[in-house]
DNA sequence: CTTGAGCCTGTAGCGACTACAGACCGTAAC
DNA sequence: GTTACGGTCTGTAGTCGCTACAGGCTCAAG
């Protein structure tokens, strides 16, 4: 077990920062190819696997859904250095979703911040946090939750 | 079935914008009390249920976890107009989580935006989206994913 | 030869719903 | 009466992306 030659799943895990269970999970769902096995049925990996898994982890860290990662992997395989309309489309769609989420969270931040700082002054009759929840107008359709659900449904097709 | 008197689950759903299945789910997990039943085993609700469910929906729309909502409900019951240190604590903790999430998403937004706009210029050799994923340094520990996981674990206790 | 770390498969759990299947209820029209 | 239709009932399984076991097997070091 020196530097070159195939590595075990634990070594792959150390090199990519991806947990062993997660690697096996990725194999199960087809995000990583089925690894060849040693005599004792241990999975064996090489440098291309390190690169592929690192790609997956970075895409996931940027918030791409598993299905998006699959698409991006395919695109990166078949179009090395070619046109990128499809990849740009996937990224642009995801970017829009990220921006929508940021907008939602900022709205939450403002409301929460207001309630908490009112609390801090201590001049209100009831707790401002509770009152904000009890007295605010009913939830509308265009809220954070609905939009999040819509995004998820879109992804699933 | 006119305006006053008890309403069915569908009417409660219409009045709060909360789906029928979600209302039943909330009852199952104890977020709503078990509703009294009609002769035909239909759930029956009154105005206090509308108020309670609206409270729950608003708290959820602000991103509070179910357990937080439970706490806030209890606090709103037992401390009407009293001190609010506990409620403020719950809200402040959640506010911090929201701010952390915003920071994560903004970092994603910046990276995605850069890659997509490089794509738009079309001057790069390979697709900038793919290249960004393939060539960037490996994921570190303090990434969006790890922090998200930590927050979830904290909430679960 | 024994220890111990690592690996294997398979399954269940998380949060917060959502989506059925298959039965039952209630009412209005015929 | 009866038929049609929509609402409601229970229970279960699916979603997403892992994570955490249990109960065994392998392999290298001492």
């Amino acid at each position: 077990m020196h530097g070159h030659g195939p590595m075990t799943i634990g070594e792959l895990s150390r090199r990519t920062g991806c947990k062993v269970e997660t690697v096996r999970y990725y194999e199960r769902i087809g995000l990583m190819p089925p690894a060849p096995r040693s005599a004792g049925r241990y999975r064996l990996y090489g440098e291309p696997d390190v690169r592929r898994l690192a790609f997956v982890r970075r895409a996931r860290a940027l918030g791409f859904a598993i299905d998006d990662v699959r698409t991006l992997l395919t695109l990166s395989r078949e179009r090395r250095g070619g046109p990128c309309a499809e990849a740009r489309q996937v990224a642009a769609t995801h970017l829009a979703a990220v921006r929508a989420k940021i907008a939602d969270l900022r709205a939450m931040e403002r409301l929460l911040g207001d309630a908490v700082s009112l609390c801090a002054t201590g001049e209100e009759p009831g707790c401002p946090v509770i009152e904000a929840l009890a007295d605010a107008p009913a939830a509308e359709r265009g809220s954070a939750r609905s939009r999040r659900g819509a995004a998820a449904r879109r992804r699933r097709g």
Side-chain angles (χ1 to χ4, degrees), chain A:
Chain A
M1 293 266 175
H2 34 53
H4 53 90
M7 69 192 91
T8 66
I9 197 170
E11 217 171 316
L12 177 66
S13 167
R14 254 168 271 127
R15 291 241 256 152
T16 55
C18 180
K19 293 192 176 180
V20 167
E21 292 96 333
T22 306
V23 180
R24 286 197 284 248
Y25 169 71
Y26 285 165
E27 180 179 311
R28 211 163 58 239
I29 64 171
L31 210 49
M32 292 292 287
R37 304 301 185 103
S38 75
R41 301 185 43 74
Y42 280 26
R43 286 173 183 82
L44 297 175
Y45 298 96
E47 290 303 323
D49 297 302
V50 175
R51 284 195 297 274
R52 187 184 175 107
L53 185 51
F55 184 101
V56 169
R57 291 312 284 174
R58 283 191 294 264
R60 292 287 306 123
L62 284 174
F64 285 101
I66 295 283
D67 267 7
D68 290 344
V69 179
R70 240 188 282 269
T71 303
L72 293 170
L73 274 170
T74 305
L75 293 174
S76 83
R77 289 287 114 193
E78 67 187 30
R79 303 223 190 177
R80 275 225 176 261
C84 55
E86 292 173 81
R88 207 189 76 237
Q89 182 55 50
V90 171
T93 300
H94 178 52
L95 177 56
V98 167
R99 285 183 172 148
K101 224 175 249 175
I102 289 173
D104 279 353
L105 286 173
R106 273 216 275 250
M108 289 184 202
E109 185 195 11
R110 204 167 48 73
L111 289 171
L112 285 170
D114 288 355
V116 169
S117 57
L118 269 178
C119 255
T121 71
E123 293 173 4
E124 297 297 311
C127 173
V129 170
I130 300 292
E131 297 299 317
L133 293 168
D135 300 340
E140 326 98 34
R141 309 278 159 215
S143 76
R145 300 212 52 70
S146 326
R147 237 178 290 154
R148 226 185 296 160
R153 252 172 280 125
R154 228 180 301 121
R155 237 177 284 125
R156 279 176 243 137

